[in-house]
Structure formats: C-alpha cells, structure tokens
Amino acid sequence: MRAIILAAGSGLRLGQHTKDIPKSLLDLNGKSILERQISLLREHGVNEIFVVIGYKREKHILKDIEYIFNPRYSETEQLASMMVARTKIFDDVLVIFGDIIFDSQILQQILASNDDIAIAIDLDWEKSYNERPDNPKSLADKVLINQKKIYQISAKETTLDIENQAVGEFLGIIKLSANGSRIIIKKYEELEKSYVGKFHDADSFKKAKLVDILQELIDSKIEISPISIAGKWCEIDTPNDLERARKIFQNIDT
C-alpha cells in the first residue's frame, strides 16, 4: 500500500497564513498538517508515501518522503497534480488531499475497503458548515448515493431525483485497487490526448479536480463505491477552518 498526497496548491483563501509556506505545512498543535497525515499513515502500515508539491516547494524538507514536483501547479488543479505521480499509481493506492486532517478510525475504515475505486464520504456533513461561516455549503463536493451506489459527485447542487437518496460530502480520500489504478490512469490518458472544452465542474480539462474525473468514470458506467465514514476530520481552506481543526484535534497526538 502506498499513498499519494496532493499538496501543490498555494492556499490563497488562508491569506497571510500561507504567504510564506504551503498550506500542508501549517502548524496544527505542534505538527504540520502533512506531518500528521504521514504519521497516521505510517501507524497503519502505509510507509511508501509520495507528496506532490508546487507552491513554495523549497519549504518541504521532511525526510523519508519522495517529493514529486508539479511544475504547472499554478495553472492546473488536483487531477493534474495526481497525474504528475501517475508512475506511482499501481497496485493498492491512497490518494489524499494535502489540506485535510482525519483520525485513525476514518483511516481504518478506508483501508478496509476491497473495492476497485472507493471514496470516503461523510453523510453527516452539513452540520460542520454551521461552524464554517466563511466556507459555504455550496463549495462542498457533494456525493449522491442510493443503495450504496454513487450516482453523482459535484460541488454543484445534486440534480437527480432518486427515491431514498442520500447526499454526503467527499472527504478528499480515494482508495484504488490494482484494477482501479489501471482504470483511472487509462481514462485520464484517453482524455488527455484530445479533450477540449469544459470538463464537468471544471472550465477545462487541465483545471479538473478529482471529482471531475470521478464523475467521468461514473458517466462511463464504472462503479465508484462510497465508504461512509465515522470519526473526526476537517478540511482546512480558511483561517476559521484552521482554528476549528486546532480545537477538534487538540487532544489527538497524531
């Protein structure tokens, strides 16, 4: 099992907090976000870790980590950063956003999945936005689920009308099997050759996020499995998010 952490972005919404360092290196009770992710992964036997970097790349100096530079970080998005590391995407792989904090319980649930392509989903997601006044629910990556099947994933409002449907939030963690790794690489490389124009939520293919390629797979009749998580997690996009994460994780060492 290996992990690829996407940490190339500049974190503009954090203002002065990320003026001199990347978002993933922000301090959270004595450890950076990235250090906490790496420590937790290693506790669970995930020791082969790759970090895709871009903004302030020289600030990344952690040992025993292989860094992969996205030279186009300022003009691309999550999907392009993931594919900078495509030679590492084989066998079982975790792909993780570099700006999220999650606990051991959540990681265990994700690692237990045996599906080809599975994504972590929080079905109790809306209440967290009551504590995030500078981060509206409209920006959340929403996942429409019915009978353990994902029908739609988008930051936009869900549009399907399915009986007994549920809507969760995508945490920013994907687990791929060997077959799942092949599927997502193949789909990306097919699109990379000739795709032009708007791509799902993105204005262009080069600006695509992970939800965009996941929706493309769904539209291609490839099943994406939800992992409904229970546990503590935080996304850190704004100064308020950072303070909230510090409070939630103040008694958790990892």
Side-chain angles (χ1 to χ4, degrees):
M1 173 68 71
R2 63 181 56 80
I4 298 169
I5 300 173
L6 307 181
S10 58
L12 288 174
R13 293 174 66 197
L14 278 149
Q16 290 298 310
H17 289 282
T18 51
K19 180 181 177 181
D20 297 315
I21 61 170
K23 187 192 323 189
S24 62
L25 298 185
L26 289 174
D27 179 79
L28 203 152
N29 303 332
K31 290 183 180 179
S32 70
I33 298 169
L34 185 58
E35 285 176 302
R36 286 179 173 274
Q37 290 181 336
I38 291 169
S39 177
L40 185 59
L41 288 167
R42 285 177 171 162
E43 282 180 16
H44 289 80
V46 183
N47 295 307
E48 197 174 354
I49 300 171
F50 306 91
V51 181
V52 180
I53 58 174
Y55 176 70
K56 301 288 183 183
R57 62 184 292 198
E58 71 281 359
K59 299 289 185 177
H60 287 278
I61 57 173
L62 294 178
K63 296 180 179 179
D64 300 321
I65 295 296
E66 183 172 335
Y67 292 108
I68 301 172
F69 179 56
N70 176 4
R72 300 176 62 207
Y73 73 89
S74 63
E75 58 188 88
T76 58
E77 260 291 353
Q78 298 160 352
L79 181 58
S81 281
M82 175 180 167
M83 290 303 164
V84 166
R86 76 181 75 177
T87 60
K88 312 300 182 184
I89 302 176
F90 60 92
D91 294 337
D92 290 344
V93 183
L94 294 175
V95 181
I96 303 171
F97 289 176
D99 62 354
I100 59 172
I101 294 291
F102 48 94
D103 65 15
S104 180
Q105 182 182 3
I106 288 175
L107 183 56
Q108 288 174 24
Q109 293 161 358
I110 294 166
L111 292 174
S113 172
N114 293 315
D115 294 308
D116 283 337
I117 304 175
I119 64 175
I121 306 296
D122 184 358
L123 291 174
D124 194 27
W125 63 283
E126 290 188 272
K127 68 180 183 181
S128 70
Y129 283 85
N130 295 330
E131 303 170 6
R132 305 176 71 189
D134 55 354
N135 211 333
K137 287 192 291 185
S138 60
L139 297 179
D141 290 328
K142 293 169 280 291
V143 184
L144 181 63
I145 306 165
N146 178 259
Q147 296 182 345
K148 298 184 178 180
K149 181 177 180 180
I150 295 176
Y151 286 86
Q152 187 180 79
I153 176 167
S154 171
K156 298 179 180 178
E157 293 302 314
T158 54
T159 57
L160 300 181
D161 184 14
I162 303 171
E163 187 177 356
N164 299 320
Q165 69 184 28
V167 177
E169 181 177 12
F170 174 44
L171 269 66
I173 307 175
I174 302 174
K175 184 176 184 292
L176 302 171
S177 70
N179 189 46
S181 294
R182 287 191 291 269
I183 289 169
I184 202 166
I185 293 293
K186 180 181 178 183
K187 176 58 68 176
Y188 177 84
E189 291 182 345
E190 287 173 357
L191 295 165
E192 183 184 31
K193 292 175 183 177
S194 58
Y195 195 93
V196 293
K198 194 176 186 303
F199 185 64
H200 299 288
D201 285 357
D203 291 336
S204 65
F205 186 64
K206 78 173 185 178
K207 285 287 189 179
K209 297 186 177 182
L210 294 195
V211 294
D212 298 309
I213 193 71
L214 292 172
Q215 186 62 52
E216 180 70 21
L217 292 172
I218 292 167
D219 291 349
S220 301
K221 310 302 181 185
I222 295 167
E223 187 170 331
I224 310 294
S225 302
I227 306 169
S228 181
I229 60 90
K232 294 180 179 180
W233 76 282
C234 294
E235 177 188 31
I236 301 169
D237 280 331
T238 68
N240 181 71
D241 287 344
L242 181 59
E243 290 307 312
R244 179 173 175 268
R246 285 169 175 164
K247 290 176 182 177
I248 291 173
F249 284 84
Q250 62 185 341
N251 296 318
I252 299 178
D253 291 335
T254 297

